Amino acid sequence: MVGALYGESKLFSSFLGVGANHFLHSRLPVHQVFAYNPGGKHVSMQLSRTLSGLANLFNRRNLDEMQNMNRKRLRPGKVSPPRPVPDNIPRPPYVKSKRPPGIASGPEIHDEKGIECMRASGRLAAQVLEYAGTLVKPGIMTDDIDKAVHQMIIDNGAYPSPLGYGGFPKSVCTSVNECICHGIPDSRVLEDGDIINIDVTVYLNGYHGDTSTTFFCGDVDDEARKLVRVTRECLDKAISICAPGVEFKKIGKIIHDHADKHRFGVVRQFVGHGVGRVFHADPVILHFRNNDGGRMVSNQTFTIEPMLTMGSINPVMWDDNWTVVTEDGSLSAQFEHTILITDDGAEILTQC
């Protein structure tokens, strides 16, 4: 799931968002990193003057070139009650507390048994996501996708990690069109020409596997297809450079460079994260150019999950305190994998 929205409010990992040059832990109040007021609308990071200037320039450049939008803006639909999970399926610890735990201090580094558990959870997450993608068609409700995902996860003896995370009410995130991340499945019906990111995380045998893909619904226009294609390329390029000793900041550079080449924006407030026995752990993975320290180590697992936009990169949060959309209503796309750092590169754990 995308970093998290944080600390006392929620995690922006995409369940978490963090500021440049900061690692967000459960003890760090959200307001120290973001200009975000619960009940307010805008979410903004405290960037340096240089980064802020570049972001504003990039936004203006793209906004000037955006085509007129014929789509209707997203509106909240009716959210059905959370779906039950059999008592025999183990829950992550945060489900009982009903509070988001923040990002755990320290990376997720595994022994051989842990690696096999990560492979199993990643494989199941990928299989569930692949199945969810087959359901995407005009006329289906995003709540129907949640129902199918939920059932497949529990049928495999796993727990849907988003369910109950800081009060999140559903088992999967469905982010349509201008929704950047954390869309709550509801009664809205998918329409011809929509794009939808489906973000699946499963908790199997004590380990989380986290992945997402942006799918096409019906006949999608060329500009939207390009946005989705370039976002996927950003993820692939980032994974290709991962190996022991590589600086994490190189992930942000290669993503940002490729997005700039195609004149798309990169969302900064939501990040990748360590994942394994806990949902969100160190390191925080920034998808934009940055000077943060840290290097990858063997047997470490984390997510990379770039979010690109066709226009403004400024996120606006709905009153549900989860759904995050672009300020100008422009399209957003995202892809995510959980990866394992191996002795000579990286293994994608979330693929069938």
Side-chain angles (χ1 to χ4, degrees):
M1 189 172 183
V2 200
L5 192 124
Y6 4 82
E8 298 163 352
S9 295
K10 353 217 91 70
L11 277 166
F12 279 10
S13 116
S14 115
F15 253 161
L16 178 50
V18 310
N21 306 316
H22 287 80
F23 289 114
L24 181 63
H25 300 282
S26 57
R27 293 186 180 88
L28 181 63
V30 175
H31 67 268
Q32 291 183 15
V33 178
F34 291 92
Y36 166 65
N37 296 315
K41 293 288 185 182
H42 288 75
V43 181
S44 60
M45 263 197 307
Q46 304 306 304
L47 300 176
S48 68
R49 182 177 301 176
T50 301
L51 283 174
S52 297
L54 290 173
N56 291 334
L57 174 63
F58 191 88
N59 284 344
R60 288 196 299 271
R61 181 180 69 183
N62 266 23
L63 286 171
D64 289 343
E65 297 174 358
M66 281 180 61
Q67 298 176 342
N68 292 328
M69 292 185 301
N70 295 320
R71 298 180 284 104
K72 291 181 291 187
R73 292 278 190 105
L74 286 177
R75 293 293 182 267
K78 182 178 179 180
V79 179
S80 64
R83 295 187 159 86
V85 177
D87 291 340
N88 65 305
I89 293 178
R91 273 81 165 153
Y94 55 77
V95 173
K96 288 185 179 179
S97 72
K98 298 184 179 180
R99 289 178 59 112
I103 286 190
S105 179
E108 284 286 312
I109 300 174
H110 309 278
D111 58 17
E112 282 302 317
K113 181 180 178 181
I115 289 172
E116 287 307 311
C117 287
M118 285 299 298
R119 286 182 176 133
S121 63
R123 188 182 311 115
L124 177 59
Q127 291 167 345
V128 172
L129 181 60
E130 182 179 63
Y131 171 59
T134 68
L135 305 176
V136 174
K137 60 183 178 180
I140 191 172
M141 294 188 299
T142 52
D143 191 54
D144 294 331
I145 296 174
D146 179 79
K147 180 180 180 181
V149 164
H150 180 90
Q151 192 63 48
M152 184 173 178
I153 292 173
I154 64 173
D155 283 349
N156 282 273
Y159 184 90
S161 302
L163 183 62
Y165 184 93
F168 192 80
K170 307 302 285 183
S171 300
V172 67
C173 296
T174 53
S175 301
V176 180
N177 293 337
E178 68 263 32
C179 185
I180 295 170
C181 59
H182 303 164
I184 298 174
D186 60 19
S187 61
R188 184 190 184 276
V189 171
L190 292 181
E191 300 178 3
D192 187 60
D194 284 346
I195 61 173
I196 175 174
N197 176 270
I198 301 178
D199 192 334
V200 172
T201 312
V202 305
Y203 183 68
L204 179 66
N205 297 324
Y207 290 78
H208 297 272
D210 191 0
T211 185
S212 84
T213 290
T214 300
F215 297 97
F216 301 129
C217 182
D219 185 16
V220 174
D221 67 48
D222 290 343
E223 283 299 305
R225 287 180 178 273
K226 180 181 178 182
L227 172 68
V228 172
R229 173 179 60 81
V230 172
T231 306
R232 179 56 188 261
E233 290 170 356
C234 283
L235 175 60
D236 292 343
K237 286 177 177 292
I239 293 173
S240 73
I241 65 168
C242 291
V246 174
E247 295 174 301
F248 288 111
K249 67 182 181 182
K250 291 188 176 180
I251 292 175
K253 183 179 188 306
I254 197 168
I255 289 171
H256 211 154
D257 285 352
H258 193 61
D260 272 1
K261 178 181 176 181
H262 295 278
R263 305 180 77 81
F264 291 126
V266 180
V267 175
R268 292 156 170 76
Q269 285 84 348
F270 298 86
V271 302
H273 53 92
V275 64
R277 287 154 291 198
V278 297
F279 199 167
H280 299 101
D282 281 337
V284 167
I285 305 297
L286 303 179
H287 302 119
F288 57 95
R289 296 184 196 97
N290 65 89
N291 291 313
D292 278 357
R295 295 176 183 269
M296 304 170 198
V297 297
S298 293
N299 299 337
Q300 179 178 30
T301 51
F302 56 87
T303 71
I304 304 174
E305 40 192 310
M307 288 143 275
L308 270 58
T309 67
M310 200 174 286
S312 174
I313 61 173
N314 296 326
V316 175
M317 184 174 291
W318 282 3
D319 291 339
D320 61 23
N321 286 331
W322 282 108
T323 307
V324 178
V325 298
T326 56
E327 183 180 41
D328 59 358
S330 62
L331 293 180
S332 179
Q334 181 193 15
F335 284 84
E336 174 186 13
H337 272 311
T338 297
I339 67 169
L340 166 72
I341 300 301
T342 63
D343 289 341
D344 58 357
E347 175 185 342
I348 298 173
L349 299 177
T350 44
Q351 58 185 3
C352 298

